[in-house]
Each structure stands twice: as C-alpha cells, then as structure tokens.
Amino acid sequence: EVQLVESGGGLVHPGGSLRLSCAGSGFSFGSYWMNWVRQAPGKGLEWAANINQDGSEKYYMDSVKGRFTISRDNVKKSLYLEMNNLRGEDTAVYYCARGHTSPWDHVFDIWGQGTMVTVSS
Amino acid sequence: DIQMTQSPSTLSAFVGDRVTITCRASQNIDSWLAWYQQKPGKAPKLLIYKASSLESGVPSRFSGSGSGTEFTLTISSLQPDDFATYYCQQYKNYSRTFGQGTKVEIK
C-alpha cells in the first residue's frame, strides 16, 4: 500500500523550533517530488515547500522562506521540514504530499494523515 | 502570485443533483489545474489534474473542464459520499496556490 505517515508535530512557543518527519512506503520514494502543504484550523490549503527527487531543488512559500528548511533522505524514504522562529500564523495541520508522475509533478496525488503544529505561549 | 477564486463558497444540493463549482485564476494558467476533495478531519484527495484528466479510481461522475483562467468541476449526480469541501489548485508557477474552497452541503 502506498502510504505517507507524518510525525513530529506538537505545541511550541513563539520563536521556537520543530522538526517534522514524513515516512514513505509502498512506492519508489526517490523517484518523486515531495511537498509540505499546511492547513490552519478552519481554513483552506496552503502549499508550504517542495523538494525534487535528489534534493537539489527546493522551493518555499514567501512567508516561510528563511525560517523553514525542507530536506529528504531517500535511503530512509523520509521527508523532513525543519521549522525555526515559529509564529502563531504557522499553527496548522501539516501534510506531507507526493508529487504526481512527470510532467504533473506539482499535483499532489498521495497525502499523509497530517500532523498538528500549534504555536502558542 | 497567481490568485485562485472559487464560487460559490457554499453550495446546498440534493442527492442526485448536478453540481458545478467554478474556479477562476488571476492570470492565464493554461490547463495547469487540479481539483481535490476534502472531508472533515481527513487529508485531501486528488480528483482531477490537467484541468480535465480523471485521477485513477475516481468515479466518472466527476469531470473537469476549462483552460486559461476559468475552470469548472462538475458532479453529474451528487451522491451521499460527495458531501465535502472541494479545492482547486494551480501549478502553472512554483507558488502552487489553492482556491479558498467550496463546501457542498446536503439540502
């Protein structure tokens, strides 16, 4: 079964840091673009960051540039999101999502169940 | 950034109704558009990509159309399992923006 499982969410104070992980299984992890998409409570979806197959290309939404770092380990079939200097507006469910097959790499065909990040004092 | 605007924000319909949701892009995105379905507390599910290509396993009552700046998602005969929130997403440029969502409710 093709699956993505996120972990690492929790409660953190403003200005704090958190590292999210996403474990992939049931597919050739290193062959796909991977993404983080977030959803604030009661709000819509917001793409946050993505990374290409070998990690040489990384892109971020403007509001997280310089604070978040996406990375991957294809041997461990894992995706990561290092989040620093967290703000209240970063509070959201964070989903790991796989890019579709080329040339539809930036369509999200497989999603994890999400991990909740709460930034509050 | 490319802005995506969906209408309506909420839609009430009966089982069996034909339902249409519209998504407008602030600039030309050719056919670089996808549609997702999300149920409460669950991850989104891909329905349509390339504006009109049905994702594998998605029922044929779902269809997409459009190009450029105006797109539609149509459910030909609404089923009880279809009550959910639907999002469009552009992938013309790297920002990958979503619409604000359309909630389909039972009438």
Side-chain angles (χ1 to χ4, degrees), chain A residues 33 35 37 39 43-47 50 59-62 65 95 100 103-104 106-109 111-113, chain B residues 1 32 34 36 38 41-46 48-50 55 87 89-91 94-100:
Chain A
W33 280 78
N35 302 264
V37 178
Q39 186 170 35
K43 302 297 185 183
L45 300 167
E46 188 175 53
W47 170 81
N50 69 356
Y59 300 95
Y60 302 91
M61 64 181 296
D62 287 347
K65 279 180 190 173
Y95 293 103
H100 210 302
W104 322 116
H106 306 299
V107 174
F108 313 129
D109 67 342
W111 297 65
Q113 85 287 353
Chain B
D1 278 4
W32 302 104
Y36 301 85
Q38 187 179 33
K42 300 294 186 182
K45 173 187 175 183
L46 175 65
I48 302 276
Y49 63 98
K50 202 178 69 174
E55 174 68 352
Y87 294 92
Q89 176 230 339
Q90 68 82 17
Y91 50 101
Y94 86 95
S95 66
R96 330 237 185 283
T97 40
F98 290 87
Q100 81 280 13

Side-chain angles (χ1 to χ4, degrees), chain B residues 2-22:
Chain B
I2 299 175
Q3 308 300 321
M4 306 300 293
T5 303
Q6 289 181 232
S7 60
S9 297
T10 306
L11 184 160
S12 297
F14 292 106
V15 171
D17 281 353
R18 182 181 182 88
V19 166
T20 298
I21 298 168
T22 297

Side-chain angles (χ1 to χ4, degrees), chain A residues 66-101:
Chain A
R67 300 189 299 121
F68 289 12
T69 301
I70 190 171
S71 62
R72 66 190 296 163
D73 183 331
N74 289 338
V75 173
K76 294 183 177 179
K77 297 185 178 182
S78 291
L79 177 73
Y80 306 102
L81 187 67
E82 187 77 39
M83 303 185 294
N84 297 316
N85 192 20
L86 283 159
R87 306 166 180 167
E89 54 264 37
D90 297 317
T91 294
V93 174
Y94 283 74
Y95 293 103
C96 167
R98 189 183 81 171
H100 210 302
T101 50

